[in-house]
Amino acid sequence: MRRRLHSWRRTSPFVHLLDDGFQHRQLHRTVDILLLNRRDWQDSLLPAGNLREPVKAIHRANVVTIPADDPDLEAELRSWGWQGPVWRLLRKMEVPVPSGSEARSVAAFCGIGRPEQFFAGLAVAGLQLAVRKAFPDHHSYTASEVDQLIASATAAGATSIVTTEKDSLRLGKLSAAFTNVLPLKTVRLRVEIEHEDEAIEWLLERLPLSPSQQPL
């Protein structure tokens, strides 16, 4: 997608991309892209589960995206009645893995919706998690929490502290508390769409672009 977007003429912004806006009924939108995984598919409504709406609300979406490593989920969606496009997403964590077995012992923290996915990805990359700490989603960090993280990491013998790109930005000036002795490492998440060109063509056909905004 990045290749195609970079080929567009430089114009004033014309696309507003809103994260987590599916329930914002008052907001006009051209395309609704709903991210769905098996856990969502099998979940329950609040307060018993995490769903804000019943599963039938899927029909309000224009596109459903699913993890590429769960091919059976698309068949279940089709059998259930979904007839729209299904995009398969490949998620890739760019984990900074230090050299040397001793240097692989790290402390990890995050404030995201499903922290277990982050911790599992670090383990798959070969890191040994001496400390793992999950904060609430969209958490605003305090200086005392950062001090506690550093103290816990030091006591556990970790050689670095690892977090997500989102949490690294949320730290702001507090990131200065991490030193060269116990540096803060950022894990970046990259998402790719299978058959990317087809997905982009589908999307472009539905965006009301002016002639000057058409892709080259």
Side-chain angles (χ1 to χ4, degrees):
M1 183 179 293
R2 190 180 299 115
R3 295 194 306 272
R4 295 291 301 277
L5 293 177
H6 282 177
S7 68
W8 292 9
R9 296 186 179 92
R10 294 184 179 277
T11 62
S12 58
F14 58 91
V15 174
H16 294 275
L17 181 62
L18 181 65
D19 176 36
D20 197 19
F22 195 64
Q23 282 79 35
H24 197 317
R25 302 298 186 89
Q26 290 77 27
L27 180 73
H28 171 77
R29 76 283 310 278
T30 306
V31 176
D32 264 314
I33 302 175
L34 181 65
L35 277 65
L36 181 74
N37 60 28
R38 182 162 296 279
R39 182 171 174 179
D40 299 324
W41 181 240
Q42 298 174 340
D43 208 343
S44 304
L45 284 170
L46 291 167
N50 295 298
L51 298 185
R52 303 173 190 171
E53 297 185 72
V55 172
K56 65 181 181 181
I58 292 175
H59 287 301
R60 219 171 57 245
N62 301 105
V63 180
V64 171
T65 72
I66 63 173
D69 59 0
D70 189 358
D72 294 337
L73 183 54
E74 179 175 359
E76 294 180 28
L77 282 168
R78 298 295 186 194
S79 179
W80 172 77
W82 174 253
Q83 299 178 355
V86 174
W87 294 352
R88 297 176 181 272
L89 301 185
L90 297 165
R91 296 165 55 92
K92 298 180 179 180
M93 288 175 58
E94 298 178 357
V95 181
V97 180
S99 60
S101 58
E102 292 184 359
R104 292 174 181 266
S105 179
V106 303
F109 74 95
C110 63
I112 58 178
R114 287 178 178 162
E116 66 279 0
Q117 294 181 349
F118 175 64
F119 298 136
L122 297 180
V124 170
L127 296 183
Q128 300 172 11
L129 303 186
V131 175
R132 61 178 73 191
K133 175 66 175 178
F135 293 91
D137 194 14
H138 307 296
H139 185 65
S140 296
Y141 295 97
T142 66
S144 61
E145 289 172 337
V146 170
D147 290 341
Q148 291 172 9
L149 283 169
I150 294 174
S152 298
T154 302
T159 57
S160 63
I161 298 180
V162 181
T163 193
T164 70
E165 191 171 24
K166 171 184 172 181
D167 290 292
S168 180
L169 291 172
R170 285 189 173 277
L171 284 170
K173 295 180 180 180
L174 294 177
S175 59
F178 301 94
T179 65
N180 292 333
V181 177
L182 194 61
L184 177 68
K185 305 290 185 179
T186 300
V187 175
R188 292 178 171 82
L189 178 65
R190 296 292 176 257
V191 179
E192 298 177 1
I193 306 174
E194 281 191 356
H195 307 296
E196 177 184 288
D197 289 342
E198 295 177 14
I200 294 176
E201 289 298 335
W202 183 95
L203 186 59
L204 290 177
E205 290 175 358
R206 286 155 180 80
L207 294 179
L209 307 182
S210 68
S212 65
Q213 296 168 336
Q214 294 296 328
L216 299 175

